Coordinates of all heavy atoms in Angstrom, one line a residue:
M1 N 32.5 4.6 16.4 CA 31.2 5.1 16.6 C 30.6 5.6 15.3 O 29.5 5.3 15.0 CB 31.1 6.1 17.7 CG 29.8 6.6 18.0 SD 28.8 5.3 18.8 CE 27.5 6.2 19.4
K2 N 31.4 6.3 14.5 CA 31.0 6.9 13.2 C 30.7 5.8 12.3 O 29.7 5.8 11.5 CB 32.0 7.8 12.7 CG 32.1 9.2 13.4 CD 33.1 10.1 12.7 CE 33.2 11.4 13.4 NZ 34.1 12.3 12.7
K3 N 31.5 4.7 12.3 CA 31.3 3.6 11.4 C 29.9 2.9 11.7 O 29.2 2.5 10.8 CB 32.4 2.6 11.5 CG 33.7 3.1 10.9 CD 34.8 2.0 11.0 CE 36.1 2.5 10.4 NZ 37.2 1.5 10.5
I4 N 29.6 2.7 13.0 CA 28.4 2.1 13.3 C 27.2 2.9 12.9 O 26.2 2.4 12.3 CB 28.3 1.8 14.9 CG1 29.3 0.7 15.2 CG2 26.9 1.4 15.3 CD1 29.5 0.5 16.7
T5 N 27.3 4.2 13.1 CA 26.2 5.1 12.7 C 26.0 5.1 11.2 O 24.9 5.0 10.7 CB 26.5 6.6 13.1 OG1 26.7 6.6 14.6 CG2 25.4 7.5 12.8
L6 N 27.1 5.1 10.4 CA 27.1 5.1 9.0 C 26.5 3.7 8.5 O 25.6 3.7 7.6 CB 28.5 5.3 8.4 CG 28.6 5.2 6.9 CD1 27.7 6.4 6.3 CD2 30.0 5.4 6.4
L7 N 26.8 2.6 9.2 CA 26.3 1.3 8.8 C 24.8 1.3 9.1 O 24.1 0.8 8.2 CB 27.0 0.2 9.6 CG 26.5 -1.2 9.4 CD1 26.7 -1.6 8.0 CD2 27.2 -2.1 10.3
L8 N 24.4 1.8 10.2 CA 22.9 1.7 10.5 C 22.2 2.6 9.5 O 21.1 2.2 9.1 CB 22.7 2.2 12.0 CG 23.1 1.2 13.0 CD1 23.0 1.9 14.4 CD2 22.4 -0.1 13.0
A9 N 22.7 3.8 9.2 CA 22.0 4.6 8.2 C 21.9 4.0 6.9 O 20.9 4.1 6.2 CB 22.8 6.0 8.1
T10 N 23.0 3.3 6.5 CA 23.0 2.6 5.2 C 22.0 1.5 5.2 O 21.2 1.3 4.2 CB 24.4 2.0 4.9 OG1 25.3 3.1 4.9 CG2 24.4 1.3 3.5
V11 N 21.9 0.7 6.2 CA 20.9 -0.4 6.3 C 19.5 0.2 6.3 O 18.6 -0.3 5.5 CB 21.1 -1.2 7.6 CG1 20.0 -2.2 7.8 CG2 22.4 -2.0 7.5
A12 N 19.2 1.2 7.0 CA 17.9 1.9 7.0 C 17.5 2.4 5.6 O 16.4 2.2 5.2 CB 17.8 3.0 8.1
L13 N 18.4 3.1 5.0 CA 18.2 3.6 3.7 C 17.9 2.5 2.7 O 17.0 2.6 1.8 CB 19.3 4.5 3.2 CG 19.1 5.3 1.9 CD1 17.9 6.1 2.0 CD2 20.3 6.1 1.6
T14 N 18.7 1.5 2.7 CA 18.5 0.3 1.8 C 17.2 -0.3 2.0 O 16.5 -0.7 1.0 CB 19.6 -0.7 2.1 OG1 20.9 -0.1 1.9 CG2 19.5 -1.9 1.1
G15 N 16.7 -0.4 3.2 CA 15.4 -0.9 3.5 C 14.3 -0.1 2.9 O 13.4 -0.6 2.3
L16 N 14.4 1.2 3.0 CA 13.4 2.1 2.4 C 13.4 2.0 0.9 O 12.4 2.0 0.3 CB 13.7 3.5 2.9 CG 13.3 3.9 4.3 CD1 13.7 5.3 4.6 CD2 11.8 3.7 4.6
I17 N 14.6 2.0 0.3 CA 14.7 1.9 -1.1 C 14.1 0.6 -1.6 O 13.5 0.5 -2.6 CB 16.2 2.1 -1.6 CG1 16.6 3.6 -1.3 CG2 16.3 1.8 -3.0 CD1 18.0 3.8 -1.5
G18 N 14.4 -0.5 -0.9 CA 13.8 -1.8 -1.2 C 12.3 -1.8 -1.3 O 11.7 -2.5 -2.1
C19 N 11.7 -1.0 -0.4 CA 10.2 -1.0 -0.4 C 9.7 -0.1 -1.5 O 8.6 -0.3 -2.0 CB 9.7 -0.4 0.9 SG 10.0 -1.5 2.3
A20 N 10.4 0.9 -1.9 CA 10.0 1.8 -3.0 C 10.3 1.3 -4.3 O 11.3 1.6 -4.9 CB 10.6 3.2 -2.8
K21 N 9.5 0.4 -4.8 CA 9.7 -0.2 -6.1 C 8.4 -0.3 -6.9 O 7.4 0.2 -6.4 CB 10.3 -1.6 -6.0 CG 9.4 -2.6 -5.2 CD 10.0 -3.9 -5.0 CE 9.0 -4.7 -4.2 NZ 9.3 -6.1 -4.1
T22 N 8.4 -0.9 -8.0 CA 7.2 -1.1 -8.8 C 6.9 -2.6 -8.9 O 7.8 -3.4 -9.2 CB 7.4 -0.5 -10.2 OG1 7.6 0.9 -10.1 CG2 6.1 -0.7 -11.1
D23 N 5.6 -2.9 -8.7 CA 5.2 -4.3 -8.8 C 4.3 -4.3 -10.0 O 3.3 -3.6 -10.1 CB 4.4 -4.7 -7.5 CG 4.1 -6.2 -7.5 OD1 3.6 -6.7 -8.5 OD2 4.3 -6.8 -6.4
N24 N 4.5 -5.2 -10.9 CA 3.8 -5.3 -12.2 C 2.5 -6.2 -12.1 O 2.0 -6.6 -13.1 CB 4.7 -5.8 -13.3 CG 5.7 -4.7 -13.7 OD1 5.3 -3.5 -13.7 ND2 6.9 -5.1 -13.9
Y25 N 2.1 -6.5 -10.8 CA 0.9 -7.3 -10.6 C -0.3 -6.7 -11.4 O -0.5 -5.5 -11.3 CB 0.6 -7.4 -9.1 CG -0.8 -7.9 -8.8 CD1 -1.1 -9.2 -8.9 CD2 -1.8 -7.0 -8.5 CE1 -2.4 -9.7 -8.6 CE2 -3.1 -7.4 -8.2 CZ -3.4 -8.7 -8.2 OH -4.7 -9.2 -7.9
T26 N -1.0 -7.5 -12.1 CA -2.2 -7.1 -12.8 C -3.4 -8.0 -12.3 O -3.3 -9.2 -12.5 CB -2.1 -7.2 -14.3 OG1 -1.0 -6.4 -14.7 CG2 -3.3 -6.7 -15.0
P27 N -4.3 -7.4 -11.6 CA -5.4 -8.2 -11.1 C -6.4 -8.7 -12.2 O -6.5 -8.1 -13.3 CB -6.2 -7.3 -10.2 CG -5.9 -5.9 -10.7 CD -4.5 -6.0 -11.3
A28 N -7.0 -9.8 -12.0 CA -8.1 -10.3 -12.9 C -9.1 -9.2 -13.0 O -9.4 -8.5 -12.0 CB -8.6 -11.6 -12.4
A29 N -9.8 -9.1 -14.1 CA -10.8 -8.1 -14.3 C -12.0 -8.2 -13.3 O -12.6 -7.3 -12.9 CB -11.4 -8.1 -15.7
T30 N -12.2 -9.4 -12.8 CA -13.2 -9.7 -11.8 C -12.7 -9.8 -10.4 O -13.5 -10.1 -9.5 CB -13.9 -11.0 -12.2 OG1 -12.9 -12.1 -12.1 CG2 -14.6 -11.0 -13.5
A31 N -11.5 -9.5 -10.1 CA -10.9 -9.6 -8.7 C -11.7 -8.6 -7.8 O -11.9 -7.5 -8.2 CB -9.4 -9.3 -8.7
S32 N -12.0 -9.1 -6.6 CA -12.6 -8.2 -5.6 C -11.5 -7.4 -5.0 O -10.3 -7.7 -5.0 CB -13.3 -9.1 -4.6 OG -12.4 -9.7 -3.7
G33 N -12.0 -6.3 -4.3 CA -11.0 -5.4 -3.6 C -10.3 -6.2 -2.5 O -9.1 -6.0 -2.3
E34 N -11.1 -7.1 -1.8 CA -10.5 -7.9 -0.8 C -9.4 -8.8 -1.3 O -8.4 -9.0 -0.7 CB -11.6 -8.7 0.0 CG -11.1 -9.4 1.1 CD -12.2 -10.1 1.9 OE1 -13.3 -10.2 1.4 OE2 -11.9 -10.6 3.0
E35 N -9.7 -9.4 -2.4 CA -8.7 -10.3 -3.0 C -7.4 -9.6 -3.4 O -6.3 -10.0 -3.1 CB -9.2 -11.0 -4.3 CG -10.3 -12.0 -4.1 CD -10.9 -12.4 -5.4 OE1 -11.1 -11.6 -6.3 OE2 -11.3 -13.6 -5.4
I36 N -7.5 -8.4 -4.0 CA -6.4 -7.6 -4.4 C -5.6 -7.2 -3.2 O -4.4 -7.3 -3.1 CB -6.8 -6.4 -5.2 CG1 -7.5 -6.8 -6.5 CG2 -5.6 -5.5 -5.5 CD1 -8.2 -5.7 -7.3
F37 N -6.3 -6.7 -2.1 CA -5.7 -6.3 -0.9 C -4.9 -7.5 -0.2 O -3.8 -7.3 0.2 CB -6.7 -5.7 0.1 CG -6.1 -5.0 1.3 CD1 -5.8 -3.7 1.2 CD2 -5.8 -5.7 2.4 CE1 -5.2 -3.0 2.3 CE2 -5.3 -5.1 3.5 CZ -4.9 -3.8 3.5
S38 N -5.6 -8.6 -0.2 CA -5.0 -9.8 0.5 C -3.7 -10.3 -0.2 O -2.8 -10.6 0.4 CB -6.0 -10.9 0.6 OG -7.1 -10.6 1.4
L39 N -3.8 -10.2 -1.6 CA -2.6 -10.7 -2.4 C -1.4 -9.8 -2.4 O -0.3 -10.2 -2.5 CB -3.1 -11.0 -3.8 CG -3.9 -12.2 -4.1 CD1 -4.4 -12.2 -5.5 CD2 -3.1 -13.5 -3.8
N40 N -1.7 -8.5 -2.2 CA -0.6 -7.5 -2.4 C -0.3 -6.6 -1.2 O 0.8 -6.5 -0.8 CB -0.9 -6.6 -3.6 CG -0.9 -7.4 -4.9 OD1 0.1 -7.8 -5.4 ND2 -2.1 -7.7 -5.3
C41 N -1.4 -6.1 -0.6 CA -1.2 -5.1 0.4 C -0.8 -5.7 1.8 O -0.1 -5.0 2.6 CB -2.5 -4.3 0.5 SG -3.0 -3.6 -1.0
T42 N -1.3 -6.9 2.1 CA -1.0 -7.5 3.4 C 0.5 -7.9 3.6 O 0.9 -8.2 4.6 CB -1.9 -8.7 3.7 OG1 -1.7 -9.6 2.6 CG2 -3.3 -8.3 3.8
K43 N 1.3 -7.8 2.5 CA 2.7 -8.0 2.6 C 3.3 -7.0 3.5 O 4.3 -7.3 4.2 CB 3.4 -8.0 1.2 CG 2.9 -9.1 0.3 CD 3.5 -8.9 -1.1 CE 2.9 -9.9 -2.0 NZ 3.3 -9.6 -3.4
C44 N 2.8 -5.8 3.5 CA 3.3 -4.7 4.3 C 2.2 -4.1 5.3 O 2.6 -3.7 6.4 CB 3.7 -3.5 3.5 SG 5.1 -3.9 2.4
H45 N 1.0 -4.2 5.0 CA -0.1 -3.6 5.8 C -0.8 -4.7 6.5 O -1.6 -5.5 5.9 CB -1.1 -2.8 4.9 CG -0.5 -1.6 4.2 ND1 -0.2 -0.5 4.9 CD2 -0.2 -1.5 2.9 CE1 0.3 0.4 4.0 NE2 0.3 -0.2 2.8
K46 N -0.6 -4.8 7.8 CA -1.3 -5.8 8.7 C -2.5 -5.2 9.3 O -2.5 -4.0 9.6 CB -0.3 -6.3 9.8 CG 1.0 -6.8 9.3 CD 0.9 -8.0 8.4 CE 2.2 -8.5 7.8 NZ 2.1 -9.3 6.6
P47 N -3.6 -6.0 9.5 CA -4.8 -5.4 10.1 C -4.5 -4.8 11.5 O -3.6 -5.3 12.2 CB -5.7 -6.7 10.2 CG -5.2 -7.6 9.2 CD -3.7 -7.4 9.1
N48 N -5.2 -3.7 11.8 CA -5.1 -3.1 13.1 C -5.7 -4.0 14.1 O -6.5 -4.9 13.8 CB -5.7 -1.7 13.0 CG -5.0 -0.8 12.1 OD1 -3.7 -0.7 12.2 ND2 -5.7 -0.1 11.2
T49 N -5.5 -3.7 15.4 CA -6.1 -4.5 16.5 C -7.6 -4.4 16.5 O -8.2 -5.3 17.0 CB -5.5 -4.0 17.8 OG1 -5.8 -2.6 18.0 CG2 -4.0 -4.3 17.9
D50 N -8.2 -3.4 15.9 CA -9.6 -3.2 15.9 C -10.2 -3.9 14.7 O -11.4 -3.9 14.4 CB -10.0 -1.8 16.0 CG -9.6 -1.0 14.8 OD1 -9.0 -1.6 13.8 OD2 -9.9 0.2 14.7
G51 N -9.4 -4.6 13.8 CA -9.9 -5.3 12.7 C -9.9 -4.4 11.4 O -10.1 -5.0 10.3
S52 N -9.6 -3.1 11.5 CA -9.6 -2.3 10.3 C -8.3 -2.6 9.6 O -7.3 -3.0 10.1 CB -9.6 -0.8 10.7 OG -8.6 -0.4 11.5
V53 N -8.3 -2.4 8.2 CA -7.1 -2.8 7.4 C -6.1 -1.7 7.4 O -4.9 -1.9 7.3 CB -7.5 -3.2 6.0 CG1 -8.3 -4.5 6.0 CG2 -8.2 -2.1 5.2
L54 N -6.5 -0.4 7.5 CA -5.6 0.7 7.5 C -6.2 1.9 8.3 O -7.4 2.0 8.6 CB -5.5 1.3 6.0 CG -4.8 0.4 5.0 CD1 -4.8 1.0 3.6 CD2 -3.3 0.2 5.4
M55 N -5.3 2.7 8.7 CA -5.6 4.0 9.4 C -5.3 5.1 8.4 O -4.2 5.3 8.0 CB -4.8 4.2 10.7 CG -5.1 5.4 11.4 SD -6.8 5.5 12.1 CE -6.5 4.4 13.5
L56 N -6.4 5.7 7.8 CA -6.2 6.7 6.8 C -6.2 8.1 7.3 O -7.0 8.4 8.2 CB -7.3 6.6 5.8 CG -7.5 5.2 5.1 CD1 -8.8 5.2 4.2 CD2 -6.3 4.9 4.2
S57 N -5.4 9.0 6.8 CA -5.4 10.4 7.1 C -6.7 10.9 6.4 O -7.2 10.3 5.4 CB -4.2 11.1 6.6 OG -4.2 11.1 5.1
A58 N -7.2 12.1 6.8 CA -8.3 12.7 6.2 C -8.1 12.9 4.7 O -9.0 12.7 3.9 CB -8.7 14.0 6.9
A59 N -6.9 13.3 4.3 CA -6.6 13.5 2.9 C -6.6 12.2 2.1 O -6.8 12.3 0.8 CB -5.2 14.2 2.8
M60 N -6.4 11.1 2.7 CA -6.4 9.8 2.0 C -7.7 9.1 2.0 O -7.9 8.0 1.4 CB -5.3 8.9 2.6 CG -3.9 9.2 2.2 SD -3.6 9.2 0.4 CE -3.9 7.5 0.0
A61 N -8.7 9.6 2.7 CA -10.0 8.9 2.9 C -11.0 9.2 1.7 O -12.1 9.5 2.0 CB -10.6 9.3 4.2
N62 N -10.5 9.0 0.5 CA -11.3 9.1 -0.7 C -10.8 8.2 -1.8 O -9.6 7.9 -1.8 CB -11.5 10.5 -1.1 CG -10.3 11.1 -1.7 OD1 -9.9 10.8 -2.8 ND2 -9.6 12.0 -0.9
K63 N -11.7 7.7 -2.6 CA -11.3 6.7 -3.7 C -10.1 7.2 -4.6 O -9.2 6.5 -4.8 CB -12.5 6.4 -4.5 CG -13.4 5.4 -3.9 CD -14.6 5.0 -4.7 CE -14.2 4.6 -6.1 NZ -15.4 4.1 -6.9
D64 N -10.2 8.5 -5.0 CA -9.2 9.0 -5.9 C -7.8 9.0 -5.3 O -6.8 8.7 -5.9 CB -9.6 10.4 -6.4 CG -10.8 10.4 -7.3 OD1 -11.1 9.4 -7.9 OD2 -11.5 11.5 -7.4
A65 N -7.7 9.4 -4.0 CA -6.4 9.5 -3.3 C -5.9 8.1 -3.2 O -4.7 7.9 -3.3 CB -6.6 10.2 -2.0
I66 N -6.7 7.1 -2.8 CA -6.3 5.7 -2.6 C -5.8 5.2 -3.9 O -4.7 4.6 -4.0 CB -7.4 4.9 -2.0 CG1 -7.7 5.3 -0.6 CG2 -7.0 3.4 -2.1 CD1 -8.9 4.7 0.0
I67 N -6.5 5.3 -5.0 CA -6.1 4.8 -6.3 C -4.8 5.4 -6.8 O -3.9 4.7 -7.2 CB -7.2 5.0 -7.4 CG1 -8.4 4.1 -7.0 CG2 -6.7 4.7 -8.8 CD1 -9.7 4.4 -7.8
K68 N -4.7 6.7 -6.6 CA -3.4 7.4 -7.0 C -2.2 6.8 -6.2 O -1.2 6.6 -6.7 CB -3.5 8.9 -6.8 CG -2.3 9.7 -7.2 CD -2.4 11.1 -7.0 CE -1.1 11.8 -7.4 NZ -1.2 13.3 -7.2
K69 N -2.4 6.7 -4.9 CA -1.3 6.1 -4.0 C -1.0 4.7 -4.4 O 0.2 4.4 -4.5 CB -1.8 6.2 -2.5 CG -0.8 5.7 -1.6 CD 0.3 6.7 -1.3 CE 1.0 6.4 0.0 NZ 1.8 7.5 0.5
V70 N -2.0 3.9 -4.7 CA -1.7 2.5 -5.1 C -0.9 2.5 -6.4 O 0.1 1.8 -6.6 CB -3.0 1.7 -5.3 CG1 -2.8 0.4 -6.0 CG2 -3.7 1.5 -3.9
Q71 N -1.3 3.3 -7.4 CA -0.7 3.3 -8.7 C 0.7 4.0 -8.7 O 1.6 3.5 -9.5 CB -1.6 4.0 -9.7 CG -2.9 3.2 -10.0 CD -3.9 3.9 -10.9 OE1 -3.8 5.1 -11.0 NE2 -4.8 3.2 -11.4
T72 N 0.9 5.0 -7.9 CA 2.2 5.7 -7.9 C 3.1 5.3 -6.8 O 4.3 5.6 -6.9 CB 2.0 7.2 -7.9 OG1 1.3 7.6 -6.7 CG2 1.2 7.7 -9.2
G73 N 2.6 4.8 -5.7 CA 3.4 4.4 -4.6 C 4.0 5.7 -3.9 O 3.5 6.8 -4.1
S74 N 5.0 5.5 -3.1 CA 5.6 6.6 -2.4 C 7.0 6.1 -2.0 O 7.4 5.0 -2.4 CB 4.8 7.0 -1.2 OG 4.8 6.0 -0.2
M75 N 7.7 6.9 -1.2 CA 9.1 6.5 -0.8 C 9.1 5.2 -0.1 O 10.0 4.4 -0.3 CB 9.7 7.6 0.1 CG 11.1 7.4 0.3 SD 11.7 8.9 1.1 CE 13.4 8.5 1.4
S76 N 8.1 4.9 0.6 CA 8.1 3.6 1.4 C 7.0 2.6 0.9 O 6.9 1.6 1.5 CB 7.9 3.9 2.9 OG 6.7 4.6 3.1
M77 N 6.3 3.0 -0.1 CA 5.3 2.1 -0.6 C 5.5 1.7 -2.1 O 5.8 2.6 -2.9 CB 3.9 2.7 -0.5 CG 2.8 1.8 -0.9 SD 1.2 2.5 -0.6 CE 0.3 1.8 -2.0
T78 N 5.4 0.4 -2.4 CA 5.5 -0.1 -3.7 C 4.4 0.5 -4.6 O 3.2 0.6 -4.1 CB 5.4 -1.6 -3.7 OG1 6.5 -2.1 -2.9 CG2 5.5 -2.2 -5.1
A79 N 4.7 0.8 -5.8 CA 3.7 1.3 -6.8 C 3.1 0.0 -7.5 O 3.8 -0.9 -7.8 CB 4.3 2.2 -7.8
F80 N 1.8 0.1 -7.8 CA 1.1 -1.0 -8.5 C 0.4 -0.3 -9.7 O -0.8 -0.1 -9.7 CB 0.1 -1.7 -7.6 CG 0.7 -2.5 -6.5 CD1 1.0 -1.9 -5.3 CD2 1.0 -3.8 -6.7 CE1 1.6 -2.7 -4.3 CE2 1.6 -4.6 -5.7 CZ 1.9 -4.0 -4.5
P81 N 1.2 0.1 -10.7 CA 0.6 0.9 -11.8 C -0.4 0.1 -12.7 O -1.2 0.7 -13.4 CB 1.8 1.2 -12.7 CG 2.8 0.2 -12.4 CD 2.6 -0.2 -10.9
N82 N -0.5 -1.2 -12.6 CA -1.4 -2.0 -13.4 C -2.7 -2.3 -12.7 O -3.6 -3.0 -13.2 CB -0.7 -3.4 -13.8 CG 0.5 -3.2 -14.7 OD1 0.6 -2.2 -15.4 ND2 1.4 -4.1 -14.6
I83 N -2.9 -1.8 -11.5 CA -4.2 -1.9 -10.8 C -5.0 -0.6 -11.3 O -4.8 0.5 -10.7 CB -4.1 -2.0 -9.3 CG1 -3.3 -3.2 -8.9 CG2 -5.5 -2.0 -8.6 CD1 -3.0 -3.3 -7.4
T84 N -5.8 -0.9 -12.3 CA -6.6 0.2 -12.9 C -8.0 -0.1 -13.1 O -8.4 -1.3 -12.8 CB -6.0 0.6 -14.3 OG1 -6.1 -0.6 -15.1 CG2 -4.5 1.0 -14.2
G85 N -8.8 0.8 -13.5 CA -10.2 0.6 -13.9 C -11.0 0.0 -12.7 O -10.9 0.5 -11.6
E86 N -11.9 -0.9 -13.0 CA -12.8 -1.5 -12.0 C -12.1 -2.1 -10.9 O -12.5 -2.0 -9.7 CB -13.8 -2.4 -12.7 CG -14.9 -1.7 -13.5 CD -15.8 -0.8 -12.7 OE1 -16.2 -1.2 -11.6 OE2 -16.0 0.3 -13.2
P87 N -11.0 -2.9 -11.1 CA -10.3 -3.5 -10.0 C -9.8 -2.4 -9.0 O -9.9 -2.6 -7.8 CB -9.2 -4.3 -10.6 CG -9.8 -4.7 -12.0 CD -10.5 -3.5 -12.4
A88 N -9.3 -1.3 -9.6 CA -8.8 -0.2 -8.7 C -9.9 0.4 -7.9 O -9.8 0.7 -6.7 CB -8.1 0.8 -9.6
D89 N -11.1 0.5 -8.6 CA -12.3 1.1 -7.8 C -12.7 0.1 -6.7 O -13.0 0.6 -5.6 CB -13.4 1.3 -8.8 CG -13.3 2.5 -9.7 OD1 -12.5 3.4 -9.4 OD2 -14.0 2.5 -10.7
R90 N -12.7 -1.2 -7.0 CA -13.1 -2.2 -6.0 C -12.1 -2.2 -4.8 O -12.5 -2.3 -3.7 CB -13.3 -3.5 -6.6 CG -14.5 -3.6 -7.5 CD -14.8 -5.1 -7.9 NE -13.9 -5.6 -8.8 CZ -13.9 -5.6 -10.1 NH1 -14.9 -4.9 -10.7 NH2 -13.0 -6.1 -10.9
L91 N -10.8 -2.1 -5.1 CA -9.8 -2.0 -4.1 C -10.0 -0.8 -3.2 O -10.0 -0.9 -2.0 CB -8.4 -2.0 -4.7 CG -7.2 -1.9 -3.7 CD1 -7.2 -3.0 -2.6 CD2 -5.9 -1.8 -4.4
A92 N -10.2 0.4 -3.8 CA -10.4 1.6 -3.1 C -11.6 1.5 -2.2 O -11.6 1.9 -1.0 CB -10.4 2.8 -4.0
E93 N -12.7 1.0 -2.7 CA -13.9 0.8 -2.0 C -13.7 -0.1 -0.8 O -14.2 0.1 0.3 CB -15.1 0.3 -2.9 CG -15.5 1.3 -3.9 CD -16.5 0.8 -4.9 OE1 -16.8 -0.4 -4.9 OE2 -16.8 1.5 -5.8
Y94 N -13.0 -1.2 -1.0 CA -12.7 -2.1 0.1 C -11.9 -1.4 1.2 O -12.2 -1.6 2.4 CB -11.9 -3.4 -0.4 CG -11.5 -4.3 0.7 CD1 -12.3 -5.2 1.3 CD2 -10.1 -4.2 1.1 CE1 -11.9 -6.0 2.3 CE2 -9.7 -5.1 2.2 CZ -10.6 -5.9 2.8 OH -10.2 -6.7 3.8
V95 N -10.8 -0.7 0.8 CA -10.0 0.0 1.8 C -10.8 1.0 2.5 O -10.8 1.1 3.8 CB -8.8 0.7 1.1 CG1 -8.1 1.6 2.0 CG2 -7.8 -0.4 0.5
L96 N -11.7 1.8 1.8 CA -12.5 2.8 2.5 C -13.5 2.2 3.5 O -13.7 2.7 4.6 CB -13.2 3.6 1.5 CG -12.4 4.7 0.8 CD1 -13.3 5.4 -0.3 CD2 -12.0 5.8 1.8
S97 N -14.1 1.1 3.1 CA -15.1 0.5 3.9 C -14.5 -0.3 5.1 O -15.3 -0.7 6.0 CB -16.1 -0.4 3.1 OG -15.4 -1.5 2.6
N98 N -13.2 -0.6 5.0 CA -12.6 -1.4 6.1 C -11.5 -0.7 6.8 O -10.7 -1.3 7.5 CB -12.1 -2.7 5.5 CG -13.2 -3.6 5.1 OD1 -13.8 -4.3 5.9 ND2 -13.5 -3.7 3.8
S99 N -11.5 0.6 6.7 CA -10.4 1.4 7.4 C -11.0 2.5 8.3 O -12.2 2.8 8.2 CB -9.5 2.1 6.3 OG -8.9 1.2 5.5
R100 N -10.2 3.0 9.1 CA -10.6 4.1 10.0 C -9.8 5.3 9.6 O -8.7 5.3 9.0 CB -10.2 3.8 11.5 CG -11.1 2.7 12.1 CD -10.9 2.5 13.5 NE -9.5 2.8 14.0 CZ -9.3 3.3 15.2 NH1 -10.2 3.5 16.0 NH2 -8.0 3.5 15.6
T101 N -10.4 6.5 9.8 CA -9.8 7.8 9.5 C -9.2 8.4 10.8 O -9.9 8.4 11.8 CB -10.8 8.7 8.9 OG1 -11.3 8.1 7.7 CG2 -10.1 10.0 8.4
K102 N -8.0 8.9 10.7 CA -7.4 9.5 11.9 C -8.1 10.8 12.3 O -8.6 11.5 11.5 CB -5.9 10.0 11.5 CG -5.0 8.8 11.3 CD -3.7 9.3 10.9 CE -2.8 8.2 10.4 NZ -1.5 8.7 10.0

């Protein structure tokens, strides 16, 4: 029983660590927020049943928070440090206009 628990914990931890990485994707200067989201974010973030792309907490429902999260990632989210400037602004605007707040 202990071996099974240890195995399951190891698999779960490996899965989380595998998601927490850095992606060196650099969008074209003219890429739209929708293009950036479709190429990168939909690998993990699937549209909600109501058509919204994400469910944002109140703390995440602003451009600066979204851009910071995209660039730095988190324990379970890949970081995209090369999404900066206007493309980052367009991505954040797309996420805000197509998401719901909890």
